[in-house]
Amino acid sequence: MPPVDDLRSAIELLKKIPGQYLETDREVDPNAELAGVYRHIGAGGTVMRPTRIGPAMTFNNIKGFPGSRVLVGLLASRDRVSDLLGAPKRELSMQMGQARMAVIPPVDIGDKPAPCQEVVYRAEEEGFDLRKLLPAPTNTPEDAGPYFCMGLALGSDPDDRENVDVTIHRLCVQSKDELSIFFAPGRHIDAFRRKAEARGEPLAISINMGLDPAIYIGAEFEAPTTPFGFDELCVAGGLRGKPVELVECLTVPQKAIAKAEIVIEGVILPEVRVAEDQNSGTGKAMPEFPGYTGEANPSLPVIKVKAVTTRKNPILQTLVGPGEEHVSLAGIPTEASIHNAMEDALPGLLKNVYAHSAGGGKFLAILQLAKRSAADDGNARQAALIALAVYRELKNVILVDEDVDLFDSDDVLWAMQTRYQGDMDTVFVPGVTGHVLDPSQTPQYNPRLADKGTTCKTIFDCTVPYPLKEQFVRAQFKEVDPSLWAPSLFNQSAD
C-alpha cells in the first residue's frame, strides 16, 4: 500500500516517479490562463485538441494571491491513479470493487488538533472575502465565475447526522461569503437539502478540498452500488485499510475531513436561489465532462459561508472540467460497480471493464468478455444490460472478446470492423434516463425525447458468435523477449 493518507503525501510519492509531477514558479492568472496552460500539459479527456495525458502540476505563483498554490491534474492519468492507489492500472476496477465490499467507516478524532484547522478565517470577521482568500480558477473566459471544481461536499440527513453523503459538485463563487451549488439529479445530499428546506431550515455542509485521492475516487460511487444512507468515505477506508479521520467543524454542526488542505464551512439556505452567471452575464457555466461548456443555470441553491479553515500554506486542488481527471474520478468507480454486479450475476464472464475517456468516464463502457459456451452469446448482451442498470448515466456499451485490448481504442474499433454487423449486433434501449449534461439528450435534438436527460442507450455487440470462434482467431506471432533488442523501450514491468 502506498504511504499516502493526504494530498501532501500523495505529492511526495509522485515526486519520486519520473514524469508524474511538475511544479512552476512562473506567475499564472487563475482567470482562464491556468486551465489554458494545463490543457497543453496534461488535461486529456474530452478537452478540445491539442491536449494530452501528462503530469500533475502545481502552480506556486498565482496572480493576485501571493503565497497561494494551485494543484491541477492529480488524477488525470490512469498510470498516476495506479501509483497513488497501489494497484496495476488494468486492475483498478477490481481493487475498487474489493474496497466497496470491505469498507472501513470513518472516525472522529475528537479534540485532537486537526491539520485542516491550523488557520481559521471566520466570515463574521472584518475584511473576510472568499474571492480574495482562495484562488478559485475559471476554466475559460466565458465561465460564469470562479469555480471550486474539486470541492467534496459533506452533508447529512437533518434527522440523522450519521446518514452522510459525500459528493463533488460545481461551486461558483458568487460573493464574499456565498457560493452557488449545482446538484445533478438523484444526488443524496440534495435529498437532505430538500428535506431541510421543506422545514424552512438550512442544511449544514462542509466543502473539503485537497484530499487523499482515495477519498475523491471513493466518493464517486453512485446508487445502486452505494444506496441511500451509505457513507462513501467508507470506500476510501477500504482502499487504504484504515479509516478516514473527521473533525467537527468550528461554526456549523457538521464534520470535515481532518487532513484536508482547505475546508469551507457553511449552510445551504432554504428557499434562496441565484442565477449561476449573475456576476458575469455570460450565459455559460463552465466546461463540463462531455467537452462542451454548459449553460448557466438560472436558479441554484446558495451556500452561506460561515468560515474557511486551512492547513498552513494550503494547496488548492482543481481540475480542468472535461479532462482525464474526471474520467478517473467517475470512471473507475463505474468500472468497479459493473465488475461487482457482473460477478454476482454472471461469474467468470467479464474479464475486465473500462469506462472510456471519450465518454468522460460516464457515457461509454467497454466490456471484455470470455465466452465459454453458446449460451454466452445471450449472456454477453445480458452483461450489457446489467452494466446499464448498475450505472444509469451510462449511454453506450461496446462488447469485445478476451483477445481484444479494451484499453486500446484502435483494437476496439478493429473488433467493430470485423466482428460486428449493424443490423444484427446493435441493441437499442430507447427512452431511458441518462444525463442532463449530454447536449444530444434534449427534445430539441430529438423531438421524440420527453425531457432533457432522456436518451436512447445502445449496445454494440462486437464479440464473435461462440460457434464461429475458431474462424476468428487473430494472427499468432512468435513469442519473444523484445527487451533483448530494444531495452530502452521495455524498461518497465508489464501491468
Side-chain angles (χ1 to χ4, degrees), residues 167-241:
T167 41
I168 299 173
H169 303 279
R170 75 173 188 240
L171 302 158
C172 188
V173 181
Q174 297 293 350
S175 73
K176 67 177 184 178
D177 63 352
E178 290 183 339
L179 302 166
S180 61
I181 182 168
F182 172 80
F183 292 106
R187 299 298 185 258
H188 295 164
I189 198 169
D190 191 31
F192 301 155
R193 178 195 65 83
R194 292 174 185 274
K195 180 184 286 190
E197 186 171 69
R199 303 172 181 175
E201 299 173 354
L203 182 74
I205 191 172
S206 68
I207 306 297
N208 304 267
M209 294 182 281
L211 308 172
D212 175 356
I215 296 176
Y216 277 124
I217 294 181
E220 290 302 292
F221 276 100
E222 297 184 12
T225 303
T226 50
F228 190 76
F230 181 89
D231 183 352
E232 289 87 358
L233 293 176
C234 296
V235 179
L239 281 168
R240 293 299 186 208

Side-chain angles (χ1 to χ4, degrees), residues 1-2 13 77-99 217 239-240 332 494-495:
M1 181 65 62
L13 176 68
S77 155
R78 200 174 181 96
D79 286 334
R80 200 150 53 246
V81 175
S82 171
D83 293 327
L84 291 167
L85 296 186
K89 65 181 180 181
R90 290 174 178 267
E91 298 177 13
L92 285 168
S93 60
M94 293 78 152
Q95 184 207 38
M96 287 294 298
Q98 291 167 1
I217 294 181
L239 281 168
R240 293 299 186 208
I332 296 172
D495 54 12

